[in-house]
Amino acid sequence: MTKPTPDPRHTLTLRDVSEASGVSEMTVSRVLRNRGDVSAPTREKVLEAARALGYVPNKIAGALASQRVNLVGVVIPSLSNMVFPEVMTGISETLEGTGLQPVVGVTNYLPDREESVIYEMLSWRPSGMIIAGLEHSTASRAMLARAGIPIVEIMDIDGTPINHAVGISHRRAGRQMAEAIIAAGYRRIAFLGTQMPNDFRAKKRLEGFEEALSKAGLTLVDREYYSGGSALLKGREMTAAVLNRTPDVDFLYYSNDMIGAGGLLYCLAQGLDVPGRIGLAGFNGVELLDGLPRKLATMDACRLEIGKMAAKIIAEAPAGPQVEELFPTLEAGDTIRRS
Amino acid sequence: MTKPTPDPRHTLTLRDVSEASGVSEMTVSRVLRNRGDVSAPTREKVLEAARALGYVPNKIAGALASQRVNLVGVVIPSLSNMVFPEVMTGISETLEGTGLQPVVGVTNYLPDREESVIYEMLSWRPSGMIIAGLEHSTASRAMLARAGIPIVEIMDIDGTPINHAVGISHRRAGRQMAEAIIAAGYRRIAFLGTQMPNDFRAKKRLEGFEEALSKAGLTLVDREYYSGGSALLKGREMTAAVLNRTPDVDFLYYSNDMIGAGGLLYCLAQGLDVPGRIGLAGFNGVELLDGLPRKLATMDACRLEIGKMAAKIIAEAPAGPQVEELFPTLEAGDTIRRS
DNA sequence: CCTGCTACTGTTACCGCTAACAGCCACAAG
DNA sequence: CTTGTGGCTGTTAGCGGTAACAGTAGCAGG
């Protein structure tokens, strides 16, 4: 008489597989991890038993025993703005095949939330962390610094990284855009952006932008902020507000492509001559918008590349700190006058 | 002479905090988890020591010992299409305060990938799983079924759930849209969608749509598929192709709002009378697009609500299976003729 | 025959934490 | 004085795996 089927509600362990296949737990472990030498027949027996039982290894126990966790924490402010999904794609692609796996945490641009997300992630002892931005609470920086794992701060390099960093200079990006706008002959320039005190990158772009303006003896003739809601719609509304308040404005600089697109649609609907009477520019190089009637001027933020390089750094865990600056390209599109 | 500072590279354990504060590891554990009775002064001492050392608990060990993991696996096909981020928002909001935390896995609509994502997640012994769709490989279903945790399949209810399900009937959604279109007097109707054999929900919508057409004695006069690229741009291109090939088409039904928006912009640019000469409709109710010159007809997919209800089921872990059907509302917008 | 080596399998001791239980003390009640 | 009782703290024994090491057998070479 064979042993009765064990309680099917009991979660399986190596011991179950070991008993079912008549070898030690250690051998089962070796088979399932493809590590060490196991004879072909034994291997077959074990795999067969594991499959038959529907055994799923317990990584918690495995990780505790081996002191190795194949997870990489990724901390980003938001998933809904088109920029981070692309970064994630880069990370996933590069991690593929390294045995590492990304785990995402979202902070909604809240420093407190960031701190708790980091804490929570570190408590799972990941093999590395990728975090958007260089601005973190003191506690966050301290936790990361003493975690003893590679930390990569991404998107931005205007500041002091904890360890590694991959990104672009947003300050420079803002400056370059301003220079291009000025060179094209625009002079009465307004800024339209999000009201997010913790979007440091948007803030830096604006700083660089204003810096370049002031170097040319100019200042912003108007500015408008929004928060929440549909970006495209907000872009329309803000644009209407600015045009109404400052009718002689000749350029609108948006903090992102989505509100820029809303503005563009509004200007076209109003029959304004774009880019003759008025020019527009955004930021990000969102592929999503390629189908607009006219191509919005923008700067691509190298998102895919940033994801790939960050993941590469984690996978290779270089000894010394590493800072990689990428250089966005300005795409003038159809909304800046050509000389 | 005081003890020398311990190796700062050594990762901290409860023992370090226990030594630093002069109490047992157990008491430290109790303090850090707020469990059991600990005197106020002891509590203070421990917290102080933990903070000073920068101790981050090891959840791997904790989970193994307590057999409890505060993680909920969420398996979705994609992050870049505006639909799942909103579902995630619903999940996060509801999980907030339950002590549970979502962990996302992305499958890119690939069944093999889905299987490995599920396996990987289950190996961390989460407290529950939320998975998009009802179609999974036999192995996936088996793993989920015997994991002994609540499983919620979301988005769709046209099929047999493993356990719980929350979603809408996509077949019915397609049917309803067709009925509205027919009622508005359109007769020469084309379909434009994605070429994704594994997007079962889009497929079901189309089936329902055609079913309703045929009940009215109609068939699709044209169809066009695409894959990859910028959805807005593809929408334009596909629309151009259909209008070119079938000039007398009078309605374009898109499988999602994004390509629908591209089509809308194209039609408007061509000076076509929308919705007089030609009508358009999409699917999803993407808020993002609210800023378009004209509001595209669509059906909202109840994404936020689905996320919330799924999370609620996980948190409450009801005894019996539970299937929740939600009912999307048709938003006629400005692209279907009003009677 | 012994040695050394390779190929395979088993034993033991943890990994860092928590459940369960066992003290200990002060104080109230009998 | 004994006995409870509640508040607080410590001890012990795992959780389910894996690293490290310890066999064991078979076989080639001297």
Side-chain angles (χ1 to χ4, degrees):
Chain A
M1 190 180 149
T2 58
K3 256 190 207 163
T5 314
D7 178 4
R9 325 181 37 70
H10 167 255
T11 52
L12 298 167
T13 72
L14 268 192
R15 152 154 268 106
D16 296 296
V17 183
S18 124
E19 281 171 1
S21 52
V23 299
S24 71
E25 299 176 36
M26 196 58 228
T27 300
V28 175
S29 171
R30 278 195 271 255
V31 170
L32 296 179
R33 286 178 301 147
N34 265 316
R35 202 157 306 238
D37 297 315
V38 180
S39 71
T42 307
R43 173 180 307 277
E44 275 319 306
K45 255 193 320 191
V46 170
L47 287 176
E48 173 52 34
R51 216 173 315 122
L53 292 171
Y55 174 69
V56 176
N58 185 331
K59 287 221 177 187
I60 297 177
L64 183 61
S66 67
Q67 304 284 55
R68 264 180 285 107
V69 179
N70 69 336
L71 264 26
V72 176
V74 182
V75 181
I76 57 185
S78 161
L79 279 175
S80 44
N81 58 6
M82 287 298 96
V83 12
F84 293 105
E86 200 165 335
V87 176
M88 284 309 305
T89 304
I91 292 175
S92 303
E93 276 179 15
T94 301
L95 252 31
E96 196 92 6
T98 64
L100 292 170
Q101 243 193 303
V103 177
V104 184
V106 177
T107 69
N108 293 319
Y109 289 99
L110 303 172
D112 282 1
R113 183 133 186 85
E114 181 182 75
E115 198 170 307
S116 72
V117 167
I118 291 173
Y119 184 81
E120 202 74 14
M121 280 192 167
L122 286 180
S123 74
W124 287 100
R125 301 290 187 264
S127 295
M129 290 277 274
I130 297 175
I131 307 189
L134 293 164
E135 288 76 17
H136 314 290
S137 72
T138 312
S140 295
R141 290 182 64 95
M143 279 191 283
L144 292 168
R146 61 154 305 141
I149 55 175
I151 307 292
V152 184
E153 289 167 282
I154 57 171
M155 310 315 287
D156 188 9
I157 57 147
D158 291 328
T160 313
I162 296 170
N163 193 354
H164 312 292
V166 181
I168 67 171
S169 165
H170 286 261
R171 213 178 295 276
R172 186 213 308 271
R175 217 159 44 218
Q176 284 186 316
M177 185 55 90
E179 286 161 1
I181 291 168
I182 295 166
Y186 298 101
R187 289 294 177 273
R188 301 194 49 80
I189 302 165
F191 173 80
L192 301 86
T194 45
Q195 182 61 279
M196 282 210 268
N198 293 308
D199 187 346
F200 297 99
R201 293 175 290 288
K203 191 180 288 182
K204 287 173 186 172
R205 287 198 296 278
L206 178 55
E207 283 169 12
F209 191 83
E210 293 198 79
E211 194 183 307
L213 286 191
S214 106
K215 197 165 288 174
L218 298 173
T219 53
L220 289 174
V221 298
D222 198 356
R223 48 180 84 209
E224 176 84 11
Y225 296 92
Y226 84 106
S227 61
S230 156
L232 216 51
L233 182 56
K234 288 294 175 183
R236 286 184 96 82
E237 294 172 358
M238 293 163 76
T239 304
V242 168
L243 287 174
N244 194 48
R245 191 166 54 217
T246 316
D248 61 346
V249 65
D250 69 359
F251 201 95
L252 303 172
Y253 179 50
Y254 295 88
S255 75
N256 68 62
D257 279 359
M258 208 53 89
I259 56 175
L264 174 57
L265 290 174
Y266 178 81
C267 289
L268 294 177
Q270 295 296 306
L272 289 174
D273 169 18
V274 177
R277 153 78 181 82
I278 193 164
L280 298 92
F283 180 84
N284 260 340
V286 177
E287 191 198 34
L288 180 88
L289 296 177
D290 281 355
L292 287 183
R294 211 159 300 185
K295 200 157 159 22
L296 183 68
T298 190
M299 280 181 96
D300 138 65
C302 308
R303 302 187 297 284
L304 191 70
E305 198 57 26
I306 286 176
K308 285 186 180 175
M309 296 189 72
K312 185 151 168 285
I313 292 178
I314 297 287
E316 295 174 353
Q322 195 169 330
V323 176
E324 301 283 352
E325 177 168 6
L326 299 176
F327 297 93
T329 53
L330 195 153
E331 297 160 20
D334 313 316
T335 62
I336 295 186
R337 279 196 291 264
R338 312 290 187 143
S339 44
Chain B
M1 190 181 148
T2 59
K3 256 191 207 161
T5 314
D7 179 4
R9 323 181 39 70
H10 167 255
T11 52
L12 299 167
T13 71
L14 268 192
R15 151 154 265 107
D16 297 294
V17 183
S18 125
E19 282 171 1
S21 52
V23 299
S24 72
E25 299 176 35
M26 197 57 226
T27 301
V28 176
S29 170
R30 280 194 270 253
V31 170
L32 297 179
R33 286 178 302 147
N34 266 315
R35 200 156 310 235
D37 298 317
V38 180
S39 71
T42 306
R43 173 181 306 278
E44 274 318 306
K45 256 193 320 191
V46 169
L47 287 175
E48 173 55 32
R51 217 173 313 122
L53 293 171
Y55 174 70
V56 177
N58 185 331
K59 288 221 177 186
I60 296 177
L64 184 59
S66 68
Q67 304 283 56
R68 264 179 285 108
V69 180
N70 69 335
L71 264 24
V72 175
V74 181
V75 181
I76 57 185
S78 161
L79 278 176
S80 43
N81 58 5
M82 287 299 96
V83 13
F84 293 105
E86 199 165 333
V87 176
M88 285 308 305
T89 303
I91 293 175
S92 303
E93 275 179 16
T94 300
L95 252 30
E96 196 92 10
T98 64
L100 293 170
Q101 244 194 300
V103 176
V104 184
V106 176
T107 67
N108 294 317
Y109 290 99
L110 303 172
D112 282 1
R113 185 136 186 82
E114 181 182 76
E115 196 169 311
S116 72
V117 167
I118 291 173
Y119 183 81
E120 202 74 16
M121 281 193 166
L122 286 180
S123 75
W124 288 101
R125 302 289 185 265
S127 296
M129 290 276 275
I130 297 175
I131 308 189
L134 293 164
E135 287 75 16
H136 313 291
S137 72
T138 312
S140 295
R141 290 182 65 96
M143 279 192 283
L144 292 168
R146 60 155 303 140
I149 55 176
I151 308 291
V152 184
E153 289 167 283
I154 58 171
M155 309 316 288
D156 187 10
I157 56 147
D158 290 329
T160 313
I162 296 170
N163 193 355
H164 313 291
V166 181
I168 67 171
S169 164
H170 286 262
R171 212 179 297 275
R172 185 214 308 270
R175 216 158 46 216
Q176 283 185 315
M177 184 56 87
E179 286 161 1
I181 291 168
I182 295 166
Y186 298 100
R187 289 296 177 272
R188 302 194 47 80
I189 302 166
F191 173 80
L192 300 86
T194 44
Q195 182 59 277
M196 283 209 268
N198 293 308
D199 188 345
F200 296 97
R201 293 175 291 288
K203 191 180 290 180
K204 288 174 185 171
R205 286 197 297 278
L206 178 54
E207 283 168 14
F209 192 82
E210 294 198 78
E211 194 184 308
L213 286 192
S214 107
K215 197 165 290 173
L218 298 173
T219 53
L220 289 173
V221 298
D222 198 356
R223 49 180 83 210
E224 177 85 12
Y225 294 93
Y226 83 105
S227 60
S230 156
L232 216 50
L233 182 56
K234 287 294 174 183
R236 285 184 98 81
E237 294 173 357
M238 293 163 76
T239 304
V242 168
L243 286 175
N244 195 49
R245 191 167 51 219
T246 317
D248 62 347
V249 64
D250 69 1
F251 200 96
L252 303 172
Y253 178 50
Y254 296 87
S255 74
N256 68 63
D257 279 0
M258 208 53 90
I259 55 175
L264 174 58
L265 289 174
Y266 177 80
C267 289
L268 294 178
Q270 296 295 306
L272 289 175
D273 169 17
V274 176
R277 151 80 181 80
I278 192 164
L280 298 91
F283 180 83
N284 259 340
V286 177
E287 190 197 35
L288 181 88
L289 295 177
D290 280 353
L292 288 183
R294 211 159 300 186
K295 199 155 159 23
L296 183 68
T298 189
M299 280 182 98
D300 139 64
C302 310
R303 304 188 295 286
L304 191 70
E305 199 56 26
I306 286 176
K308 285 186 181 175
M309 296 188 74
K312 186 151 168 288
I313 291 178
I314 297 287
E316 295 175 352
Q322 196 168 333
V323 176
E324 300 283 353
E325 176 167 6
L326 299 176
F327 298 92
T329 54
L330 195 154
E331 298 161 19
D334 313 316
T335 62
I336 295 186
R337 278 197 292 263
R338 311 289 186 144
S339 44

